[in-house]
């Protein structure tokens, strides 16, 4: 049984390092490829894909490697049906650890590149098209994660989840934040990956809607979960709790 404190540490660390990868690679991309937005996005997305895959492999056996409040909420909701998921107390702890980790990760990235530790982003990301992009990105993410879980293929989750996020960088209008904690964290850095604080609520609401859509799609494809359905993302973690 893995203690809740260890799982919360894994979620804090994993979300923090994920945001450090996203923000740090964005700063590096701006430095190496000034004025070349497409190349900057390619560099940023490539680093994110590899970083996310590694973090899931390393921390998945401890906490499930959610790193995302929407994933944790979907896990909690699935658990209400299967009896195998996060409790309300665990969900609250996961979300808090993820948000604090994301903020810390942005601050760490800023400090590594000699930027002010906290600089509120001025990049406005607020339009119906961008919100729709976040609904699509988040729904797809939930579908990928829980479809793998329900079909017993969690071993490929690191590769599949990272690949989906990398693709969604390019096919969604919002460049696929798909994560409320990461969205909040990115508001703390006025760099390539930043989002203005005023734009955060719209993105988070769109992500929550996307999470519901994704979960409904999973239910439509696989039906109600049984008691033997493991938790996301890495199946090995569920057996060790």
């Amino acid at each position: 049984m893995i203690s809740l404190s260890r799982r919360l540490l894994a979620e804090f660390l994993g979300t923090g390092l994920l945001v450090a990868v996203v923000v740090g690679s964005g700063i590096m991309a701006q430095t190496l490829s000034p004025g070349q937005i497409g190349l900057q996005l390619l560099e940023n997305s490539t680093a994110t894909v590899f970083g996310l895959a590694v973090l899931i492999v390393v921390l998945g056996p401890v906490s499930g490697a959610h790193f995302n409040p929407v994933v944790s909420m979907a896990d909690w909701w699935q658990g209400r049906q299967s009896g195998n998921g996060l409790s309300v107390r665990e969900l609250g702890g996961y979300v808090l650890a993820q948000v604090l980790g994301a903020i810390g990760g942005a601050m760490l990235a800023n400090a590594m590149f000699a930027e002010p530790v906290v600089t509120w982003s001025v990049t406005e990301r607020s339009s119906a098209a961008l919100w729709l992009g976040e609904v699509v990105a988040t729904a797809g993410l939930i579908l990928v994660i829980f479809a793998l879980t329900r079909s017993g293929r969690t071993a490929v989750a690191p590769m599949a989840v990272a690949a989906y996020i990398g693709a969604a960088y390019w096919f969604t209008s919002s460049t696929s934040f798909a994560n409320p904690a990461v969205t909040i964290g990115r508001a703390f850095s006025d760099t390539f990956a930043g989002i203005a604080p005023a734009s955060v609520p719209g993105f988070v609401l769109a992500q929550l809607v996307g999470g519901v859509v994704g979960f409904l799609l999973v239910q439509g494809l696989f039906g109600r979960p049984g008691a033997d359905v493991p938790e996301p993302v890495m199946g090995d973690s569920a057996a060790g709790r």
Side-chain angles (χ1 to χ4, degrees):
M1 176 71 71
I2 297 178
S3 68
L4 179 59
S5 61
R6 289 169 59 190
R7 285 184 276 150
L8 295 183
L9 176 59
E11 287 297 302
F12 174 86
L13 181 62
T15 313
L17 290 176
L18 174 59
V19 173
V21 168
V22 172
V23 174
S25 63
I27 297 172
M28 181 65 81
Q30 282 183 309
T31 302
L32 296 177
S33 308
Q36 301 182 60
I37 302 300
L39 185 55
Q40 291 173 1
L41 186 61
L42 177 62
E43 294 160 347
N44 186 217
S45 61
T46 300
T48 301
V49 166
F50 287 117
L52 178 57
V54 170
L55 289 170
I56 294 174
V57 169
V58 172
L59 297 174
V62 180
S63 68
H66 294 186
F67 311 149
N68 187 333
V70 175
V71 175
S72 298
M73 291 175 188
D75 179 27
W76 169 79
W77 183 251
Q78 178 176 267
R80 307 288 63 76
Q81 300 174 316
S82 68
N84 182 26
L86 295 177
S87 67
V88 172
R89 172 172 171 265
E90 290 171 326
L91 173 61
Y94 266 52
V95 172
L96 180 60
Q98 291 156 357
V99 171
L100 293 178
I103 295 171
M107 295 169 64
L108 174 62
N110 289 337
M112 284 195 294
F113 287 90
E115 300 282 343
V117 174
V118 174
T119 52
W120 298 112
S121 175
V122 298
T123 303
E124 295 288 341
R125 303 177 189 263
S126 181
S127 73
L130 295 179
W131 297 331
L132 178 58
E134 280 301 288
V135 171
V136 171
T138 311
L141 177 62
I142 294 300
L143 178 59
V144 169
I145 292 172
F146 285 84
L148 291 174
T149 301
R150 297 291 296 276
S151 60
R153 294 177 294 162
T154 53
V156 302
M159 177 182 66
V161 172
Y164 173 78
I165 290 297
Y169 254 87
W170 291 91
F171 79 77
T172 63
S173 57
S174 61
T175 66
S176 185
F177 284 45
N179 185 326
V182 168
T183 302
I184 292 170
R186 288 169 67 165
F188 284 73
S189 182
D190 187 23
T191 57
F192 179 79
I195 178 172
S199 299
V200 168
F203 263 53
V204 170
L205 179 59
Q207 290 155 2
L208 294 175
V209 171
V212 172
V213 172
F215 194 77
L216 290 176
L217 289 173
V218 173
Q219 296 278 63
L221 290 169
F222 296 95
R224 292 174 63 87
D228 59 339
V229 173
E231 296 180 57
V233 168
M234 298 289 286
D236 290 344
S237 66
R241 293 186 186 177

